[in-house]
Amino acid sequence: MASLRNASPRLRNYFKEHYIPQVCEALLCGLLVTCPKDPLKYLEKMIILIMENGLEHIRWDMCIDPSMRPMIRRLSETYLEQLFGLDDQLMTPELMIKACTFYTGNLVKTHFCTWRDITIPPVNESEVLAKKLEIANNYNDFRCKRYLFSHWHFYVKDQKERLKASLARLQQLFYSHRLIISLSKWKDKARQKCLRRENKLLLEHEIQLNKWKSKQKINIIEEEFVFPEENVPEPVSDGSEFDISLLPESAILKIFFYLTLRDVIICGQVSHSWMLMTQASSLWNNIDFSLVRSMIPDKYIVSILQRWRLNVLHLNFRGCALRVKTLKSVSLCKNLQELNVSDCPTLTDESMKYISESCPGVLYLNLSNTSITNRTMRLLPRHFHNLQNLSLAYCRNFTDKGLQYLSLGNGCHKLLYLDLSGCTQISVKGFRNIANSCTGIMHLTINDMPTLTDNCVKALVEKCSRITSVVFIGAPHISDCSFKALSTCNLRKIRFEGNKRITDACFKYIDKTYPNISHIYMSNCRRITDGSLKSLSPLKHLTVLNLTNCIRLGDSGLRHFLDGSASTKIRELNLSNCTHLSDASLYKLSDCCPNLNYLSLRNCVLLTNIGVDHIVNIFSLLSIDLSGTVISNEALVALSRHKKLKELSLSECYNITDAGIQAFCKGSLILEHLDVSYCSQLSSDIIKALAIYCTNLTFLSIAGCPMITDSAMEILSAKCHYLHILDVSGCVLLTDKMLQHLQRGCKQLRILKMQYCTLISQEAAKKMSSVVQQQEYKPDDPPLWFGYDREGKPLEEQQNIKYKRSHLNSLRRSMQ
């Protein structure tokens, strides 16, 4: 230190700049790392150590105990050593000091500059803000100009395209007008040339005719005159590609057989050749006046019957209000075999007298819903000796005595079919008279007859043991006794409906009593349980089973039925409204019913998508009804794999959407019947899918789908030309344009239902009624249970639920 005092100022300054910081650094590092108990003694000791070693050998870690010094790894054999041949340690204390100094200096500079910029505001801050504001304004002006220019550019481009399209349209109109003018001039010249040629031919014909008359000197009718072969003019070709008259006569007859009476009359007025084709006698064997009863007057009916009296075999006057004179003209048809005068309000006993005396060969006679009395009943056995089919349904003016007349004369012993529906005036005595007169009856139909009792059936079956089919609909007093009485007959078809007295006892011995039975209809018989299905399982010839509204049926009964031999030949199975059935009962359908074509599970609310997966494996299935179930789009995707379905009903399936219907349509190209009514989630997309994939559609019901539009119906009418029945009731967005599209595209449309279509006018509906055979139209607002208003907007949820519940309750009451 003494030498330092005696040193020059320059040397002292150098010492302060280089050694004092190093000494302080070494002392501080030793204090921080060692943390001695007495810092002063520690500093005194370290200063002495530094003085002994000399300031030239001072290091930053010399005041730290060797055991506590940090271990600095020596870098050896690095790329630097190989490149530059460095053998010494690369990371030296001096380099670390320089690195730390640079790092701390950089941090101080960064934070100090930031602090300075924040605390000391710039002198020209206003100028900077002004420049920034100017830049922002310029950028904003540029964006506005670009936005306006882009809109102007698109507008100009659109105007140019419209102008171009208008110019093309004008050119097309100009060319079309010029073409029309050219064609009209050509047509006039061709017509004049044709007239000149016809006049020339007529003149030649007159000359030849006068020569022939002068030679023969006789007067003949011009229609019977035949030109000599060498003078017959060559036929003039009309330029048509095909003439139907060139076809064979058998082919022409097959074509005209598909036409109605009105169409045949219209075709006869087309040309002379067409008139000759419509005069074929076989076309007039079957005449149906019921379809033209409001258009054809009585005098034309009389003239037709007079002209074709020897050829007429089948006559249908159903619902025709004809005069007595017209009905008497039926007696001209001596070879008549079938006569239908049902619902004719003017039919009397007198007119039936003329018919019966002149037409003894009648085999089929339908007198239902007419005012005939016992006088007509007396005529039947006297004149209709070969009568096989007789319908007296809803004829309430004859009595039991009239049925006794059936045994007079030769009697109606050949009668095979008898319909007495609605004849409530017949008592047990009347049925006994029928049994005495018509012992050969095979088919018996008695519907809507609440007065029918077990005694009536017993009296009839006593002598009519050949009965094979029985239909009792609306006969609530029939019980198991009638079923037991019919055991003497070889029944093959049984149909009961709306009966609460029939129980499982009637099926107990059915396999032994009716071994050949093939059709069983037991609809709305509430007392039938699973035991009946178990009794039906041994039947080997059963093909049709209908147990609609038999609410006591469950999974166990159906499983017993499928385990028997009856399931092998079953073709139709209807289990609608059997609410206890679930997916468990459908597992065996694919294995046990290989011939099943029709399956109805309507309103089986326990059925899910899993059950539908099993139904898909029935490869013979053609028609299925899943209306009122909780299935979703997954079930429709599964059904799309079937590929053979022709009929599908999904009414009131609220979980299905457009995606499910579209997926089903892609896999069902032969679909003919589709019912998606009251599926309110469906839109016009399903109509487009049907038009693309299902062009063979004949029946479509989209009632209660408020999102269907005219554009979708236009696509449908352009593709589905075979549509016969269409129901658009409740499609509130449809207008008169829809009817125009249907008239252009759907030429075969026969039945059209458009109730609650508020935008369809009465004038358009009236015009459409002349095109279709049957039409239902009502412009009222949709009922509240539809769930939406006249604009298609959904009603309030609570109100919708309330009216749906009331509607369901009313349906349940009606079913009970």
Side-chain angles (χ1 to χ4, degrees), residues 199-307:
N199 292 333
K200 184 178 179 181
L201 291 174
L202 288 174
L203 182 61
E204 292 179 357
H205 289 182
E206 289 179 0
I207 293 172
Q208 295 292 337
L209 182 63
N210 292 331
K211 288 181 180 180
W212 190 86
K213 283 184 179 180
S214 62
K215 290 180 181 180
Q216 301 294 332
K217 295 183 181 180
I218 58 174
N219 295 324
I220 60 173
I221 302 173
E222 187 176 358
E223 295 177 354
E224 299 177 356
F225 180 73
V226 180
F227 286 107
E229 207 173 282
E230 63 273 13
N231 296 328
V232 176
E234 296 181 359
V236 181
S237 176
D238 57 353
S240 59
E241 297 181 359
F242 175 74
D243 187 4
I244 192 175
S245 60
L246 301 178
L247 293 173
E249 184 179 358
S250 58
I252 295 174
L253 290 177
K254 287 184 178 180
I255 294 173
F256 279 93
F257 272 138
Y258 290 101
L259 302 180
T260 61
L261 177 62
R262 177 189 177 189
D263 296 333
V264 172
I265 294 174
I266 293 174
C267 291
Q269 299 173 357
V270 173
S271 63
H272 183 70
S273 60
W274 282 58
M275 183 187 68
L276 294 177
M277 287 186 289
T278 57
Q279 302 305 314
S281 59
S282 57
L283 287 178
W284 300 93
N285 290 339
N286 188 352
I287 304 178
D288 188 357
F289 291 106
S290 62
L291 299 177
V292 293
R293 57 179 178 268
S294 60
M295 293 178 283
I296 186 169
D298 287 4
K299 62 178 182 179
Y300 289 110
I301 296 176
V302 174
S303 63
I304 291 173
L305 294 179
Q306 287 178 349
R307 183 171 184 178

Side-chain angles (χ1 to χ4, degrees), residues 372-405:
I372 62 167
T373 63
N374 291 340
R375 293 177 57 189
T376 299
M377 301 298 292
R378 181 178 293 181
L379 296 172
L380 296 179
R382 290 182 178 179
H383 302 286
F384 297 139
H385 309 302
N386 299 317
L387 191 63
Q388 297 180 3
N389 193 314
L390 177 62
S391 177
L392 300 173
Y394 305 100
C395 296
R396 296 188 173 94
N397 292 333
F398 69 89
T399 61
D400 295 339
K401 188 177 182 180
L403 295 173
Q404 188 177 2
Y405 293 150

Side-chain angles (χ1 to χ4, degrees), residues 636-650:
L636 294 180
V637 172
L639 287 175
S640 65
R641 301 195 302 266
H642 193 278
K643 307 292 185 182
K644 294 182 180 180
L645 283 179
K646 292 186 177 181
E647 297 183 5
L648 177 64
S649 297
L650 300 171

Side-chain angles (χ1 to χ4, degrees), residues 325-508:
K325 182 180 178 181
T326 306
L327 289 172
K328 289 181 180 179
S329 62
V330 179
S331 60
L332 299 173
C333 306
K334 304 295 184 180
N335 298 322
L336 188 65
Q337 297 180 3
E338 180 179 341
L339 177 61
N340 187 348
V341 288
S342 60
D343 299 318
C344 290
T346 56
L347 182 69
T348 59
D349 295 332
E350 183 180 358
S351 55
M352 279 301 302
K353 180 180 179 181
Y354 286 99
I355 295 172
S356 60
E357 290 177 352
S358 305
C359 305
V362 173
L363 302 176
Y364 173 92
L365 182 60
N366 191 342
L367 301 173
S368 60
N369 201 17
T370 57
S371 57
I372 62 167
T373 63
N374 291 340
R375 293 177 57 189
T376 299
M377 301 298 292
R378 181 178 293 181
L379 296 172
L380 296 179
R382 290 182 178 179
H383 302 286
F384 297 139
H385 309 302
N386 299 317
L387 191 63
Q388 297 180 3
N389 193 314
L390 177 62
S391 177
L392 300 173
Y394 305 100
C395 296
R396 296 188 173 94
N397 292 333
F398 69 89
T399 61
D400 295 339
K401 188 177 182 180
L403 295 173
Q404 188 177 2
Y405 293 150
L406 295 177
S407 59
L408 297 177
N410 295 326
C412 296
H413 301 300
K414 296 182 180 181
L415 197 64
L416 301 178
Y417 175 87
L418 180 62
D419 188 355
L420 297 174
S421 301
C423 298
T424 54
Q425 76 277 11
I426 302 178
S427 62
V428 178
K429 183 179 179 181
F431 283 99
R432 189 171 285 109
N433 293 335
I434 294 174
N436 294 329
S437 306
C438 311
T439 57
I441 293 178
M442 298 180 64
H443 308 283
L444 182 64
T445 302
I446 307 177
N447 300 330
D448 298 330
M449 197 165 178
T451 58
L452 187 67
T453 60
D454 296 334
N455 294 329
C456 298
V457 178
K458 290 178 181 179
L460 184 64
V461 175
E462 285 179 357
K463 296 184 179 180
C464 298
S465 58
R466 298 176 60 188
I467 296 177
T468 58
S469 68
V470 174
V471 181
F472 294 149
I473 300 177
H477 299 293
I478 296 294
S479 65
D480 297 337
C481 296
S482 298
F483 207 94
K484 190 175 182 180
L486 291 168
S487 60
T488 57
C489 307
N490 186 17
L491 287 182
R492 296 185 180 181
K493 179 180 178 181
I494 301 175
R495 184 166 185 173
F496 288 84
E497 186 172 335
N499 193 292
K500 297 181 181 180
R501 300 184 64 185
I502 293 179
T503 62
D504 296 338
C506 64
F507 297 105
K508 192 173 182 180

